[in-house]
Amino acid sequence: MPRGSLTDQVIDQLRERIVGGQFPVDQRLPVEASLARELGVGRSTVREALRVLVHAGLLESRQGDGTYVRARHETDAALRRRVLKADVINAYEVRRAMEVEAARLAATHRSAADLARLHELAAARDDAAGPESYRRADRALREHVVECTGNPLLGDLYRGVVDPLRSAAAGLVDEVDLVRDDPARPETADLVRAIADQDPRAAADAAARHMDAVLRVLTVMLQAAPIRRHS
C-alpha cells in the first residue's frame, strides 16, 4: 500500500479514538512503539500521523513527556486557541452563559435515566474525600447537566470552552473551584432539585447564582494578582 495511504489510515484511526473518547482530552497517548504494534504499522508511520494531528491541533507534543490529547475535533482546537487568548473574566462569562442555558434545557429535556445519573453524581460529589476528588465529581456533575440537554453541539462547545480553562493556569482555576464548591453553598443542590422537578426557571437561576459566585471570587483574585492569559 502506498505510504501516504497507510499514514492516512493511521490518522483516521487515531482521530476516531480521540473523537470517541478512547483517548480523552489531557490524556497522554501510548508511546510510538506501542501504537505501532497495536496498529500493525511502522513507528515512522505513527510518527508521521502524530505530526499531522499535532499540526491540526488535536494533539500536543511535550518535550520529554510524550504526546497528549489537546482537543477532540479540529473545531475544538480552534476554539481552545481562542479561549486561551481571551481575557479570563470574558472566558468565564461565556461559561456562565452556557451553564445557565444548559441548566434550563436540562430541566426541560432530561430523561428518567438522565435524572438517575444526576442523582448518582450529586451523591458522589457529596461523598468525595479530598479537594481533588471533590473537584472531579463536581466537574462530572456539571458536564452531565450539559448532556441532559440532549444537545450534542452545546456539549462540544461547552467542552471547547471549559477544557482549556481547566488545563491552563490550573492553580488559579483550582483555587476558584475550592472556593465555589463550598458544600455549604446551596446552588448545586438547588440545581439538581430544579432539574428533577423539571423547573427550567429555577434551574437557570441556580446555575446563574453558582457562576456569579465563581466570577466574584475570580474577580477578587485577579485584582490581587492581575493576569491576562494567552496561548
Side-chain angles (χ1 to χ4, degrees):
M1 183 178 297
R3 185 170 188 78
S5 299
L6 186 57
T7 301
D8 289 343
Q9 287 189 15
V10 173
I11 291 170
D12 289 342
Q13 290 182 61
L14 292 175
R15 180 183 279 111
E16 287 176 4
R17 297 184 185 191
I18 293 169
V19 172
Q22 184 175 344
F23 295 149
V25 173
D26 290 332
Q27 176 177 297
R28 184 171 59 185
L29 293 185
V31 297
E32 288 181 3
S34 176
L35 287 173
R37 286 194 300 270
E38 182 179 347
L39 298 173
V41 297
R43 290 182 61 177
S44 61
T45 302
V46 170
R47 191 175 302 117
E48 290 175 19
L50 294 178
R51 188 179 299 117
V52 170
L53 293 174
V54 167
H55 182 72
L58 299 186
L59 301 178
E60 177 183 9
S61 179
R62 301 179 187 176
Q63 186 67 30
D65 191 19
T67 303
Y68 286 76
V69 179
R70 188 171 185 179
R72 294 176 65 225
H73 304 279
E74 282 81 353
T75 51
D76 289 351
L79 183 56
R80 178 189 180 93
R81 289 191 293 270
R82 182 65 185 91
V83 170
L84 292 176
K85 290 180 180 178
D87 177 84
V88 176
I89 293 296
N90 289 347
Y92 270 89
E93 287 172 343
V94 171
R95 176 176 173 174
R96 178 191 186 280
M98 298 176 76
E99 290 207 10
V100 170
E101 181 61 14
R104 187 184 69 81
L105 290 173
T108 303
H109 299 299
R110 61 88 176 159
S111 65
D114 289 333
L115 181 59
R117 179 59 177 159
L118 184 63
H119 283 308
E120 289 177 5
L121 292 171
R125 177 182 181 273
D126 293 340
D127 296 339
E132 184 56 35
S133 296
Y134 190 85
R135 282 194 293 272
R136 285 197 300 267
D138 182 76
R139 292 168 185 173
L141 184 148
R142 300 191 189 285
E143 289 174 357
H144 183 64
V145 170
V146 178
E147 293 174 3
C148 288
T149 68
N151 188 325
L153 177 57
L154 178 58
D156 287 344
L157 293 173
Y158 180 77
R159 285 187 295 270
V161 170
V162 172
D163 286 344
L165 291 178
R166 289 174 179 165
S167 59
L172 172 65
V173 177
D174 285 352
E175 288 298 324
V176 174
D177 285 342
L178 285 171
V179 175
R180 70 168 178 155
D181 292 335
D182 179 354
R185 299 196 65 90
E187 290 89 349
T188 300
D190 291 346
L191 173 63
V192 173
R193 187 180 307 110
I195 293 174
D197 293 342
Q198 295 189 300
D199 186 338
R201 179 176 296 182
D205 178 69
R209 285 187 283 115
H210 168 76
M211 286 306 301
D212 286 343
V214 174
L215 281 163
R216 282 195 299 271
V217 172
L218 185 58
T219 299
V220 171
M221 293 176 66
L222 292 177
Q223 287 172 345
I227 65 169
R228 180 183 179 84
R229 190 161 64 225
H230 296 281
S231 60

